[in-house]
Each structure stands twice: as structure tokens, then as C-alpha cells.
């Protein structure tokens, strides 16, 4: 059986390793991973880059590092151009051949992540705002803060969903600590706005809000920006905020390649998948990671849209691999979709972020508990060295996903 995995980010790498282990155990799989093979940085390091507690050169990672850690996976380095679910084929612009090739699959796992769209917010691209898309952007913010002596810093989530629900708070905390270290915090105002209704919904928002209050960070929830100028943001509710430095997480969408594919229901590129199996309506096609929107009643549990996070993607990948392997074992792959999914380890996934004063905060999410709904728990777990706690957490992720040599 030929199994394809598109992209080797967090979710893709986790899936590739699971199936590689399965072949080692005797499963008859022909595994192919399609990936651009670029250098990457785990985005969770970015707030530490702002604080100078991590260096860009130390965390620049090769997507190709997984190649030496898998025995039974073939890698095709290139860009996916299209997916044909009727013919069960993927068109790839092959890097080495410099031509498009068509590859057949029996099972396809798509882990293409999210796409940034600053053009969707009027005036954002022309405003001179710092858009937090990459590690280079975080380094640029560090440099700008080193020269910032007074005025208003506005940190803004543009739209939902966006990757990593706590990231906006963590960046404002990093900005606070950077300005404090530079001795100019009393001369500066920090404002944070987000479309979320509360601070990190369902993850003890009162506790996270208290951290902002202690740091004298002004927070505004349920605010969605409508227009940006070179010194002001206008929100859909009519609110206006002037700024001297604007730090923005731009609007996002699912990958363009998922739009308009027969049998895959999508909302702005986010593939709608079964909440228990991550399966789409197309035979043999699963979507995991940021690109997926599981069919849950999120509003019922207090979350406006499906949150996106790397650890969720890893969890998705483990579930898909167990579902596929169980169906192979029972000889019902792509035959009976009404049967229950394979038994999974539904233990909580953890996220760590650094709060003002270098405190460490842990958020644990049990995403697929029964009945199917997410549960969140957050708490300050380290009063003294949140940076050490986060670095240890990220090193464990790198080891798990074979980013480390």
C-alpha cells in the first residue's frame, strides 16, 4: 500500500515516524513524504529571540534532518501543485528534476499548515508594521525594541483562527520584559488586542489576564481590526488605537491547494475533518495540523474557532497513524467509514510560554477526550526560570521530531 504524507512539519514528521516504525514492525507500507526541504525554525522560539534568550543561528533547522532518522521512508523534495482525489494522485514540482511529476497514493495525509495573508487587512502591508511570520521578524522586533524609548506598542491578533492561541500574550510579555530590561518600561504603553473573547479561552483566562494586569499591559478582547494606517488601527466596533510601533499576527487561511477539491469540504482552505479520525470526505485522504478543522461544536465549549498549535498537530498525526494501521490490520481500509476509530492515547498535550518576570506557564490540553471536546488547564508552574522550562520543552519536541542531529 502506498502512503503519502505532504509536508514534514510537526504533524507530517510525527506521521512519517509512526508509519516508519510500523514498517519496521512488519506492516506492508510504501511510505513517501513530499516536502519542500527548506530550512525552518520552530515558531515557539520566537518570543525568546525577542528577549535575546535564543539565537537565530542555534535554532535554524533543516526539514531534511528527518531523512537520516527513518529507514523505510522515501523523500520527494518539491512543491505540491495539486491533488486529484478521483485519480488518487498528487502533482509535485520535483526539485531535482525541475519538472512536474504525478504520484499515485492509496492513503494521503496532508499537513500543509497555515498561510499568512496580510493583504486581507486593509492598509496592513503598507503600514510599516512588524508582522510576526518568521524568526527573522522576531529578531527585527528585538532590534526595534532596543531603540524604542517611549510611546505605544500595539500587539495585535488580526483574525481567527491563528496558530498558537497564547502567542499574542507571550509576545506582549516579551515586549514588556525587553522594555523593562532596557530601563524604559515606565515611558512606554503596551496594548494587546485580539478577536478572542477572553485571554486564552478555556485555559484559565483569569490567570492569564492577571499576568497582563500585573505587567500593566492593556488588553482588549473581542476586537477585530478593520483598517490600518501608519499610526492608527480602526476596529470593526468603531474603536481606534494610535501606536508608535505595531506588532501584528496577520490573517491566515488554510493552504490554497486544498481549495475546490471534490469531496473535501473546506472553509477558506481549512479542511473540515471528522473529529475522531481526521478523515475528509475524500477516500483515503486525511488532513492534520493547522490545515485541519475537526468537526466539533467549538462554540459550545467556549472556543470561537478551532485553535491551531504544533502539539495539536502531533496529536492529530498519532491518531491518524493508529486509525490507518488498525484499518489495514482488519482489512477494511477505505471500505467502512462507520466503524469506530482505533483506540488512542488521549493524554493531554502541553504548551509552555514565558510570562513577565521570566515565570513559566503551562497549558495542558486534552483535545480528544470523550465525549469529543477539548479541555484546557493552565497554571504558573515555575516562578523563577520560565525560559529554562520552555527551552527544555522545545528541546524535547526537537528530539521527538528528529530536528536535532
Amino acid at each position: 500500500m502506498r502512503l503519502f504524507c505532504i509536508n514534514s512539519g510537526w504533524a507530517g514528521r510525527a506521521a512519517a515516524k509512526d508509519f516508519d516504525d510500523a514498517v519496521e514492525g512488519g506492516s506492508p507500507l510504501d511510505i513517501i513524504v513530499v516536502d519542500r526541504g527548506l530550512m525552518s525554525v520552530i515558531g515557539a522560539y520566537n518570543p525568546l529571540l525577542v528577549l535575546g534568550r535564543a539565537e537565530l543561528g542555534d535554532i535554524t533547522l533543516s526539514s531534511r534532518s528527518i531523512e537520516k532518522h527513518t529507514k523505510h521512508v522515501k523523500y520527494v523534495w518539491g512543491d505540491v501543485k495539486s491533488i486529484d482525489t478521483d485519480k488518487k494522485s498528487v502533482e509535485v514540482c520535483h526539485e531535482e528534476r525541475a519538472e512536474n511529476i504525478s504520484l499515485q497514493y492509496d492513503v494521503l495525509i496532508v499537513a500543509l499548515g497555515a498561510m499568512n495573508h496580510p493583504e486581507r487587512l486593509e492598509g496592513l502591508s503598507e503600514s510599516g508594521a512588524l508582522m510576526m511570520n518568521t524568526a527573522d521578524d522576531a529578531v527585527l522586533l528585538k532590534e526595534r525594541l532596543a531603540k524604542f524609548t517611549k510611546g505605544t506598542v500595539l500587539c495585535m491578533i488580526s483574525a481567527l483562527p491563528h496558530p498558537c492561541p497564547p502567542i499574542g500574550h507571550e509576545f506582549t510579555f516579551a515586549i514588556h520584559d525587553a522594555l523593562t530590561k532596557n530601563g524604559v518600561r515606565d515611558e512606554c504603553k503596551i496594548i494587546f488586542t485580539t478577536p478572542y473573547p477572553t485571554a486564552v479561552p478555556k485555559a484559565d483566562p483569569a490567570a492569564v489576564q492577571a499576568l497582563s494586569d500585573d505587567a500593566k499591559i492593556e488588553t482588549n478582547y473581542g476586537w477585530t481590526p478593520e483598517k490600518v494606517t501608519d499610526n492608527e488601527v480602526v476596529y470593526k466596533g468603531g474603536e481606534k488605537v494610535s501606536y508608535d510601533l505595531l506588532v501584528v499576527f496577520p490573517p491566515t487561511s488554510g493552504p490554497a491547494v486544498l481549495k475546490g477539491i471534490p469531496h473535501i469540504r473546506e472553509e477558506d482552505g481549512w479542511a473540515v475533518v471528522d473529529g475522531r479520525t481526521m478523515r475528509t470526505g475524500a477516500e483515503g485522504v486525511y488532513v492534520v495540523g493547522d490545515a485541519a478543522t475537526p468537526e466539533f461544536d467549538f462554540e459550545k465549549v467556549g472556543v470561537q474557532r478551532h485553535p491551531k498549535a504544533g502539539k495539536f498537530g502531533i496529536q492529530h498525526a498519532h491518531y491518524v497513524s493508529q486509525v490507518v494501521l488498525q484499518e489495514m490490520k482488519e482489512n477494511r481500509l477505505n471500505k467502512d467509514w462507520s466503524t469506530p476509530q482505533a483506540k488512542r492515547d488521549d493524554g493531554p498535550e502541553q504548551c509552555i510560554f514565558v510570562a513577565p518576570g521570566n515565570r513559566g506557564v503551562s497549558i495542558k490540553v486534552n483535545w480528544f477526550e470523550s465525549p469529543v471536546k477539548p479541555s484546557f488547564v493552565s497554571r504558573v508552574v515555575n516562578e523563577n526560570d520560565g525560559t529554562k522550562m520552555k527551552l527544555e520543552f522545545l528541546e524535547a519536541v526537537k528530539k521527538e521530531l528528529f530536528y536535532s542531529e
Side-chain angles (χ1 to χ4, degrees), residues 3-23 29 31-33 66 70 72-73 75 107-111 278 286-289 310 312-322 324-325 400-402:
L3 183 142
F4 261 71
C5 182
I6 302 177
N7 189 279
S8 60
W10 286 33
R13 294 170 83 94
K17 186 61 175 68
D18 282 351
F19 287 112
D20 185 68
D21 289 343
V23 174
L29 285 169
I31 311 166
I32 298 175
V33 170
I66 193 174
T70 49
H72 309 285
V73 179
Y75 293 86
V107 172
L108 176 65
I109 301 171
V110 181
M278 310 305 293
Y286 302 78
V287 180
V288 296
F312 296 166
I314 294 173
Q315 203 173 38
H316 296 166
H318 290 328
Y319 294 164
V320 167
S321 63
Q322 291 183 52
V324 170
L325 292 170
E400 177 184 1
L401 298 179
F402 300 108

CSV table of all heavy atoms in Angstrom, one decimal, residues 3-23 29 31-33 66 70 72-73 75 107-111 278 286-289 310 312-322 324-325 400-402:
chain,number,residue,atom,x,y,z
A,3,LEU,N,1.5,5.0,0.8
A,3,LEU,CA,1.0,6.1,1.7
A,3,LEU,C,1.8,7.3,1.5
A,3,LEU,O,3.1,7.3,1.5
A,3,LEU,CB,1.1,5.6,3.2
A,3,LEU,CG,0.6,6.6,4.2
A,3,LEU,CD1,-0.1,5.9,5.4
A,3,LEU,CD2,1.8,7.4,4.8
A,4,PHE,N,1.1,8.5,1.3
A,4,PHE,CA,1.8,9.7,1.0
A,4,PHE,C,1.6,10.6,2.2
A,4,PHE,O,0.5,10.7,2.8
A,4,PHE,CB,1.2,10.4,-0.2
A,4,PHE,CG,2.0,10.2,-1.4
A,4,PHE,CD1,2.1,9.0,-2.0
A,4,PHE,CD2,2.8,11.3,-2.0
A,4,PHE,CE1,2.9,8.8,-3.2
A,4,PHE,CE2,3.5,11.1,-3.1
A,4,PHE,CZ,3.6,9.9,-3.7
A,5,CYS,N,2.6,11.4,2.6
A,5,CYS,CA,2.5,12.4,3.6
A,5,CYS,C,3.0,13.7,3.0
A,5,CYS,O,4.2,13.7,2.6
A,5,CYS,CB,3.2,12.1,4.9
A,5,CYS,SG,3.1,13.3,6.2
A,6,ILE,N,2.2,14.7,2.9
A,6,ILE,CA,2.6,16.0,2.3
A,6,ILE,C,3.1,17.0,3.4
A,6,ILE,O,2.3,17.3,4.3
A,6,ILE,CB,1.5,16.6,1.5
A,6,ILE,CG1,1.1,15.7,0.4
A,6,ILE,CG2,2.0,18.0,0.9
A,6,ILE,CD1,-0.1,16.2,-0.4
A,7,ASN,N,4.3,17.4,3.3
A,7,ASN,CA,5.0,18.3,4.2
A,7,ASN,C,5.5,17.6,5.4
A,7,ASN,O,4.8,16.7,6.0
A,7,ASN,CB,4.0,19.4,4.7
A,7,ASN,CG,4.8,20.5,5.5
A,7,ASN,OD1,5.0,20.3,6.7
A,7,ASN,ND2,5.1,21.6,4.8
A,8,SER,N,6.7,18.0,5.9
A,8,SER,CA,7.2,17.3,7.1
A,8,SER,C,7.5,18.3,8.2
A,8,SER,O,8.5,18.4,8.8
A,8,SER,CB,8.6,16.6,6.7
A,8,SER,OG,9.5,17.5,6.2
A,9,GLY,N,6.4,19.1,8.5
A,9,GLY,CA,6.4,20.0,9.7
A,9,GLY,C,6.1,19.1,10.9
A,9,GLY,O,6.3,17.9,10.8
A,10,TRP,N,5.7,19.7,12.0
A,10,TRP,CA,5.5,18.9,13.2
A,10,TRP,C,4.5,17.7,12.9
A,10,TRP,O,4.9,16.6,13.3
A,10,TRP,CB,4.8,19.8,14.3
A,10,TRP,CG,5.8,20.8,14.9
A,10,TRP,CD1,6.8,21.4,14.3
A,10,TRP,CD2,5.8,21.3,16.2
A,10,TRP,NE1,7.5,22.3,15.1
A,10,TRP,CE2,6.8,22.2,16.3
A,10,TRP,CE3,5.0,21.0,17.3
A,10,TRP,CZ2,7.1,22.9,17.5
A,10,TRP,CZ3,5.2,21.7,18.5
A,10,TRP,CH2,6.3,22.6,18.6
A,11,ALA,N,3.4,18.0,12.4
A,11,ALA,CA,2.4,16.9,12.2
A,11,ALA,C,2.9,15.9,11.1
A,11,ALA,O,2.8,14.7,11.3
A,11,ALA,CB,1.1,17.5,11.7
A,12,GLY,N,3.5,16.4,10.0
A,12,GLY,CA,4.0,15.5,9.0
A,12,GLY,C,5.1,14.6,9.5
A,12,GLY,O,5.2,13.4,9.1
A,13,ARG,N,6.0,15.2,10.3
A,13,ARG,CA,7.2,14.4,10.8
A,13,ARG,C,6.7,13.3,11.7
A,13,ARG,O,7.2,12.2,11.7
A,13,ARG,CB,8.2,15.3,11.4
A,13,ARG,CG,8.8,16.3,10.5
A,13,ARG,CD,9.7,17.4,11.2
A,13,ARG,NE,11.0,16.9,11.6
A,13,ARG,CZ,12.1,17.0,10.9
A,13,ARG,NH1,12.0,17.7,9.7
A,13,ARG,NH2,13.2,16.6,11.3
A,14,ALA,N,5.7,13.7,12.6
A,14,ALA,CA,5.2,12.7,13.5
A,14,ALA,C,4.5,11.5,12.8
A,14,ALA,O,4.7,10.4,13.2
A,14,ALA,CB,4.2,13.4,14.5
A,15,ALA,N,3.8,11.8,11.8
A,15,ALA,CA,3.1,10.8,11.0
A,15,ALA,C,4.1,9.9,10.3
A,15,ALA,O,4.0,8.7,10.3
A,15,ALA,CB,2.1,11.4,10.0
A,16,ALA,N,5.1,10.5,9.7
A,16,ALA,CA,6.2,9.8,9.0
A,16,ALA,C,6.9,8.8,9.9
A,16,ALA,O,7.1,7.6,9.5
A,16,ALA,CB,7.2,10.7,8.3
A,17,LYS,N,7.2,9.3,11.1
A,17,LYS,CA,7.9,8.4,12.0
A,17,LYS,C,7.0,7.3,12.5
A,17,LYS,O,7.5,6.1,12.6
A,17,LYS,CB,8.4,9.2,13.3
A,17,LYS,CG,9.3,8.4,14.2
A,17,LYS,CD,10.5,7.9,13.5
A,17,LYS,CE,11.5,7.2,14.5
A,17,LYS,NZ,11.0,5.9,15.0
A,18,ASP,N,5.7,7.5,12.8
A,18,ASP,CA,4.8,6.5,13.2
A,18,ASP,C,4.7,5.4,12.1
A,18,ASP,O,4.8,4.2,12.5
A,18,ASP,CB,3.4,7.1,13.4
A,18,ASP,CG,3.3,7.8,14.7
A,18,ASP,OD1,4.2,7.7,15.5
A,18,ASP,OD2,2.2,8.4,14.9
A,19,PHE,N,4.6,5.8,10.9
A,19,PHE,CA,4.5,4.7,9.8
A,19,PHE,C,5.8,4.1,9.5
A,19,PHE,O,5.9,2.9,9.2
A,19,PHE,CB,3.9,5.4,8.5
A,19,PHE,CG,2.5,5.7,8.7
A,19,PHE,CD1,2.0,7.0,8.7
A,19,PHE,CD2,1.5,4.7,8.8
A,19,PHE,CE1,0.7,7.3,8.8
A,19,PHE,CE2,0.2,5.0,8.9
A,19,PHE,CZ,-0.3,6.3,8.9
A,20,ASP,N,6.9,4.8,9.7
A,20,ASP,CA,8.2,4.1,9.6
A,20,ASP,C,8.4,3.1,10.6
A,20,ASP,O,8.9,2.0,10.3
A,20,ASP,CB,9.3,5.2,9.7
A,20,ASP,CG,10.7,4.6,9.5
A,20,ASP,OD1,11.0,4.3,8.4
A,20,ASP,OD2,11.5,4.6,10.5
A,21,ASP,N,8.0,3.3,11.9
A,21,ASP,CA,8.0,2.3,12.9
A,21,ASP,C,7.1,1.1,12.6
A,21,ASP,O,7.5,0.0,12.9
A,21,ASP,CB,7.6,3.0,14.3
A,21,ASP,CG,8.6,3.9,14.8
A,21,ASP,OD1,9.8,3.9,14.4
A,21,ASP,OD2,8.2,4.7,15.7
A,22,ALA,N,6.0,1.4,12.0
A,22,ALA,CA,5.1,0.3,11.6
A,22,ALA,C,5.7,-0.6,10.6
A,22,ALA,O,5.5,-1.8,10.7
A,22,ALA,CB,3.8,0.9,11.1
A,23,VAL,N,6.4,0.0,9.6
A,23,VAL,CA,7.1,-0.9,8.6
A,23,VAL,C,8.2,-1.7,9.3
A,23,VAL,O,8.3,-2.9,9.0
A,23,VAL,CB,7.7,0.0,7.5
A,23,VAL,CG1,8.5,-0.9,6.5
A,23,VAL,CG2,6.6,0.7,6.7
A,29,LEU,N,3.9,-1.3,4.0
A,29,LEU,CA,3.7,0.1,3.5
A,29,LEU,C,4.8,0.6,2.7
A,29,LEU,O,6.0,0.3,2.9
A,29,LEU,CB,3.6,1.0,4.8
A,29,LEU,CG,2.3,1.0,5.6
A,29,LEU,CD1,2.5,1.8,6.9
A,29,LEU,CD2,1.1,1.6,4.8
A,31,ILE,N,6.1,4.1,1.9
A,31,ILE,CA,5.8,5.5,2.5
A,31,ILE,C,6.6,6.5,1.7
A,31,ILE,O,7.8,6.4,1.5
A,31,ILE,CB,6.3,5.5,4.0
A,31,ILE,CG1,5.7,4.4,4.8
A,31,ILE,CG2,5.9,6.9,4.6
A,31,ILE,CD1,6.3,4.2,6.1
A,32,ILE,N,6.0,7.6,1.3
A,32,ILE,CA,6.6,8.7,0.6
A,32,ILE,C,6.2,10.0,1.2
A,32,ILE,O,5.1,10.3,1.5
A,32,ILE,CB,6.2,8.7,-0.9
A,32,ILE,CG1,6.6,7.4,-1.6
A,32,ILE,CG2,6.8,9.9,-1.6
A,32,ILE,CD1,6.2,7.3,-3.0
A,33,VAL,N,7.2,10.8,1.6
A,33,VAL,CA,7.0,12.1,2.1
A,33,VAL,C,7.4,13.1,1.1
A,33,VAL,O,8.5,13.1,0.5
A,33,VAL,CB,7.8,12.3,3.4
A,33,VAL,CG1,7.8,13.8,3.8
A,33,VAL,CG2,7.3,11.4,4.5
A,66,ILE,N,15.2,14.8,9.1
A,66,ILE,CA,14.5,13.5,9.4
A,66,ILE,C,14.9,12.4,8.5
A,66,ILE,O,14.7,11.2,8.9
A,66,ILE,CB,12.9,13.7,9.3
A,66,ILE,CG1,12.2,12.6,10.0
A,66,ILE,CG2,12.5,14.0,7.9
A,66,ILE,CD1,10.7,12.8,10.1
A,70,THR,N,14.8,7.9,9.6
A,70,THR,CA,13.8,7.0,9.1
A,70,THR,C,14.4,6.0,8.1
A,70,THR,O,15.2,6.3,7.3
A,70,THR,CB,12.6,7.7,8.4
A,70,THR,OG1,13.2,8.6,7.5
A,70,THR,CG2,11.8,8.5,9.5
A,72,HIS,N,12.5,3.5,6.3
A,72,HIS,CA,11.6,3.0,5.3
A,72,HIS,C,10.9,4.1,4.6
A,72,HIS,O,9.8,3.8,3.9
A,72,HIS,CB,10.7,2.0,5.9
A,72,HIS,CG,11.4,1.0,6.8
A,72,HIS,ND1,12.0,-0.1,6.2
A,72,HIS,CD2,11.5,0.8,8.1
A,72,HIS,CE1,12.6,-0.9,7.2
A,72,HIS,NE2,12.2,-0.3,8.4
A,73,VAL,N,11.3,5.3,4.7
A,73,VAL,CA,10.6,6.4,4.1
A,73,VAL,C,11.4,6.9,2.9
A,73,VAL,O,12.6,7.2,3.0
A,73,VAL,CB,10.3,7.6,5.1
A,73,VAL,CG1,9.6,8.7,4.4
A,73,VAL,CG2,9.5,7.1,6.3
A,75,TYR,N,11.8,10.1,0.2
A,75,TYR,CA,11.5,11.6,0.3
A,75,TYR,C,11.6,12.1,-1.1
A,75,TYR,O,12.5,11.9,-1.9
A,75,TYR,CB,12.5,12.3,1.2
A,75,TYR,CG,12.4,11.9,2.6
A,75,TYR,CD1,13.0,10.8,3.1
A,75,TYR,CD2,11.6,12.6,3.5
A,75,TYR,CE1,12.8,10.4,4.4
A,75,TYR,CE2,11.4,12.3,4.8
A,75,TYR,CZ,12.0,11.1,5.3
A,75,TYR,OH,11.9,10.8,6.6
A,107,VAL,N,-3.3,6.1,0.5
A,107,VAL,CA,-3.7,6.9,1.6
A,107,VAL,C,-2.8,8.2,1.5
A,107,VAL,O,-1.6,8.2,1.2
A,107,VAL,CB,-3.4,6.2,2.9
A,107,VAL,CG1,-3.5,7.2,4.1
A,107,VAL,CG2,-4.3,5.0,3.1
A,108,LEU,N,-3.5,9.3,1.7
A,108,LEU,CA,-2.8,10.6,1.6
A,108,LEU,C,-3.1,11.4,2.9
A,108,LEU,O,-4.2,11.6,3.4
A,108,LEU,CB,-3.4,11.5,0.5
A,108,LEU,CG,-2.9,12.9,0.3
A,108,LEU,CD1,-1.4,12.9,0.0
A,108,LEU,CD2,-3.7,13.6,-0.8
A,109,ILE,N,-2.0,11.8,3.6
A,109,ILE,CA,-2.0,12.6,4.8
A,109,ILE,C,-1.5,14.0,4.4
A,109,ILE,O,-0.3,14.2,4.1
A,109,ILE,CB,-1.2,12.0,5.9
A,109,ILE,CG1,-1.8,10.6,6.2
A,109,ILE,CG2,-1.3,12.9,7.2
A,109,ILE,CD1,-0.9,9.8,7.2
A,110,VAL,N,-2.3,15.0,4.6
A,110,VAL,CA,-2.0,16.4,4.2
A,110,VAL,C,-1.6,17.2,5.5
A,110,VAL,O,-2.5,17.2,6.4
A,110,VAL,CB,-3.1,17.1,3.4
A,110,VAL,CG1,-2.7,18.5,3.1
A,110,VAL,CG2,-3.4,16.3,2.2
A,111,ALA,N,-0.4,17.7,5.6
A,111,ALA,CA,0.0,18.5,6.8
A,111,ALA,C,0.6,19.8,6.3
A,111,ALA,O,1.8,20.0,6.6
A,111,ALA,CB,0.9,17.7,7.6
A,278,MET,N,-9.8,12.5,11.8
A,278,MET,CA,-9.1,13.5,11.0
A,278,MET,C,-9.3,13.1,9.5
A,278,MET,O,-8.5,13.5,8.6
A,278,MET,CB,-7.6,13.6,11.3
A,278,MET,CG,-7.3,13.8,12.8
A,278,MET,SD,-8.1,15.2,13.5
A,278,MET,CE,-7.4,16.5,12.7
A,286,TYR,N,-6.6,12.2,4.6
A,286,TYR,CA,-6.7,12.8,6.0
A,286,TYR,C,-5.9,14.1,6.0
A,286,TYR,O,-5.0,14.3,5.2
A,286,TYR,CB,-6.0,11.9,7.0
A,286,TYR,CG,-6.5,10.5,7.0
A,286,TYR,CD1,-6.2,9.5,6.0
A,286,TYR,CD2,-7.4,10.1,8.1
A,286,TYR,CE1,-6.7,8.2,6.1
A,286,TYR,CE2,-7.9,8.8,8.1
A,286,TYR,CZ,-7.6,7.9,7.1
A,286,TYR,OH,-8.1,6.6,7.2
A,287,VAL,N,-6.4,15.0,6.8
A,287,VAL,CA,-5.7,16.3,7.0
A,287,VAL,C,-5.4,16.5,8.5
A,287,VAL,O,-6.3,16.3,9.3
A,287,VAL,CB,-6.5,17.5,6.5
A,287,VAL,CG1,-5.8,18.8,6.6
A,287,VAL,CG2,-6.9,17.3,5.0
A,288,VAL,N,-4.1,16.9,8.8
A,288,VAL,CA,-3.7,17.0,10.2
A,288,VAL,C,-3.0,18.4,10.4
A,288,VAL,O,-2.6,19.0,9.4
A,288,VAL,CB,-2.8,15.9,10.6
A,288,VAL,CG1,-3.5,14.6,10.6
A,288,VAL,CG2,-1.5,15.8,9.7
A,289,GLY,N,-2.8,18.8,11.6
A,289,GLY,CA,-2.1,20.0,11.9
A,289,GLY,C,-3.0,21.2,11.7
A,289,GLY,O,-4.2,21.2,11.7
A,310,GLY,N,1.2,23.5,17.2
A,310,GLY,CA,2.0,22.4,16.8
A,310,GLY,C,1.8,21.1,17.5
A,310,GLY,O,1.8,20.0,16.9
A,312,PHE,N,-1.0,20.1,18.9
A,312,PHE,CA,-2.2,19.5,18.4
A,312,PHE,C,-1.9,18.7,17.1
A,312,PHE,O,-2.5,17.7,16.9
A,312,PHE,CB,-3.3,20.6,18.1
A,312,PHE,CG,-3.7,21.4,19.3
A,312,PHE,CD1,-4.4,22.6,19.1
A,312,PHE,CD2,-3.5,21.0,20.6
A,312,PHE,CE1,-4.9,23.3,20.2
A,312,PHE,CE2,-3.9,21.7,21.7
A,312,PHE,CZ,-4.6,22.9,21.5
A,313,GLY,N,-1.1,19.3,16.2
A,313,GLY,CA,-0.8,18.6,15.0
A,313,GLY,C,-0.1,17.3,15.2
A,313,GLY,O,-0.4,16.3,14.6
A,314,ILE,N,0.8,17.2,16.2
A,314,ILE,CA,1.4,15.9,16.6
A,314,ILE,C,0.4,14.9,17.1
A,314,ILE,O,0.4,13.8,16.7
A,314,ILE,CB,2.5,16.2,17.7
A,314,ILE,CG1,3.7,17.0,17.1
A,314,ILE,CG2,3.0,14.8,18.2
A,314,ILE,CD1,4.7,17.4,18.2
A,315,GLN,N,-0.5,15.4,17.9
A,315,GLN,CA,-1.6,14.6,18.4
A,315,GLN,C,-2.5,14.1,17.2
A,315,GLN,O,-2.8,12.9,17.1
A,315,GLN,CB,-2.5,15.3,19.4
A,315,GLN,CG,-3.2,14.5,20.4
A,315,GLN,CD,-3.9,15.3,21.4
A,315,GLN,OE1,-4.4,16.4,21.1
A,315,GLN,NE2,-3.9,14.9,22.6
A,316,HIS,N,-2.8,15.0,16.3
A,316,HIS,CA,-3.6,14.5,15.1
A,316,HIS,C,-2.9,13.4,14.4
A,316,HIS,O,-3.5,12.4,14.0
A,316,HIS,CB,-3.7,15.7,14.1
A,316,HIS,CG,-4.5,16.9,14.6
A,316,HIS,ND1,-4.5,18.1,14.0
A,316,HIS,CD2,-5.3,17.0,15.7
A,316,HIS,CE1,-5.3,18.9,14.6
A,316,HIS,NE2,-5.8,18.3,15.7
A,317,ALA,N,-1.6,13.6,14.1
A,317,ALA,CA,-0.8,12.6,13.4
A,317,ALA,C,-0.8,11.3,14.0
A,317,ALA,O,-0.9,10.2,13.3
A,317,ALA,CB,0.6,13.1,13.2
A,318,HIS,N,-0.6,11.2,15.3
A,318,HIS,CA,-0.6,9.9,16.0
A,318,HIS,C,-1.9,9.3,15.9
A,318,HIS,O,-2.0,8.0,15.7
A,318,HIS,CB,-0.3,10.2,17.5
A,318,HIS,CG,1.1,10.6,17.8
A,318,HIS,ND1,2.2,10.2,17.0
A,318,HIS,CD2,1.7,11.3,18.8
A,318,HIS,CE1,3.3,10.7,17.5
A,318,HIS,NE2,3.0,11.4,18.5
A,319,TYR,N,-3.0,10.0,15.9
A,319,TYR,CA,-4.4,9.4,15.8
A,319,TYR,C,-4.6,8.8,14.4
A,319,TYR,O,-5.1,7.7,14.2
A,319,TYR,CB,-5.4,10.5,16.1
A,319,TYR,CG,-5.5,11.0,17.5
A,319,TYR,CD1,-6.1,12.1,17.8
A,319,TYR,CD2,-4.8,10.3,18.5
A,319,TYR,CE1,-6.2,12.6,19.2
A,319,TYR,CE2,-4.8,10.7,19.8
A,319,TYR,CZ,-5.5,11.9,20.1
A,319,TYR,OH,-5.5,12.4,21.4
A,320,VAL,N,-4.1,9.6,13.4
A,320,VAL,CA,-4.3,9.1,12.0
A,320,VAL,C,-3.5,7.8,11.8
A,320,VAL,O,-4.0,6.9,11.2
A,320,VAL,CB,-3.9,10.2,11.0
A,320,VAL,CG1,-3.7,9.6,9.6
A,320,VAL,CG2,-4.9,11.3,11.0
A,321,SER,N,-2.3,7.8,12.2
A,321,SER,CA,-1.5,6.6,12.0
A,321,SER,C,-2.1,5.4,12.7
A,321,SER,O,-2.1,4.3,12.1
A,321,SER,CB,-0.1,6.8,12.6
A,321,SER,OG,0.0,7.0,14.0
A,322,GLN,N,-2.7,5.6,13.9
A,322,GLN,CA,-3.3,4.4,14.5
A,322,GLN,C,-4.6,4.0,13.8
A,322,GLN,O,-4.9,2.8,13.7
A,322,GLN,CB,-3.6,4.8,16.0
A,322,GLN,CG,-2.3,4.9,16.8
A,322,GLN,CD,-2.7,5.2,18.3
A,322,GLN,OE1,-3.4,4.5,18.9
A,322,GLN,NE2,-2.1,6.3,18.8
A,324,VAL,N,-5.3,4.4,10.5
A,324,VAL,CA,-4.9,3.7,9.3
A,324,VAL,C,-4.3,2.3,9.5
A,324,VAL,O,-4.7,1.3,8.8
A,324,VAL,CB,-3.9,4.6,8.5
A,324,VAL,CG1,-3.3,3.8,7.3
A,324,VAL,CG2,-4.5,5.8,8.0
A,325,LEU,N,-3.5,2.2,10.5
A,325,LEU,CA,-2.9,0.9,10.8
A,325,LEU,C,-3.9,-0.1,11.3
A,325,LEU,O,-3.8,-1.3,10.9
A,325,LEU,CB,-1.7,1.0,11.8
A,325,LEU,CG,-0.5,1.8,11.2
A,325,LEU,CD1,0.5,2.1,12.4
A,325,LEU,CD2,0.2,1.0,10.2
A,400,GLU,N,11.9,14.6,19.7
A,400,GLU,CA,10.8,13.7,19.3
A,400,GLU,C,10.6,13.8,17.8
A,400,GLU,O,10.2,12.7,17.2
A,400,GLU,CB,9.5,14.2,20.0
A,400,GLU,CG,8.2,13.4,19.6
A,400,GLU,CD,6.9,14.0,20.2
A,400,GLU,OE1,7.0,15.0,20.9
A,400,GLU,OE2,5.9,13.4,19.9
A,401,LEU,N,10.8,14.9,17.2
A,401,LEU,CA,10.5,15.1,15.7
A,401,LEU,C,11.8,15.0,14.9
A,401,LEU,O,11.8,15.3,13.7
A,401,LEU,CB,9.8,16.4,15.5
A,401,LEU,CG,8.4,16.6,16.2
A,401,LEU,CD1,7.9,17.9,15.9
A,401,LEU,CD2,7.5,15.5,15.7
A,402,PHE,N,12.9,14.7,15.5
A,402,PHE,CA,14.2,14.5,14.8
A,402,PHE,C,14.7,15.8,14.1
A,402,PHE,O,15.2,15.7,13.0
A,402,PHE,CB,14.1,13.3,13.8
A,402,PHE,CG,13.8,12.0,14.5
A,402,PHE,CD1,12.5,11.4,14.3
A,402,PHE,CD2,14.7,11.4,15.3
A,402,PHE,CE1,12.2,10.3,14.9
A,402,PHE,CE2,14.4,10.2,15.9
A,402,PHE,CZ,13.1,9.6,15.7
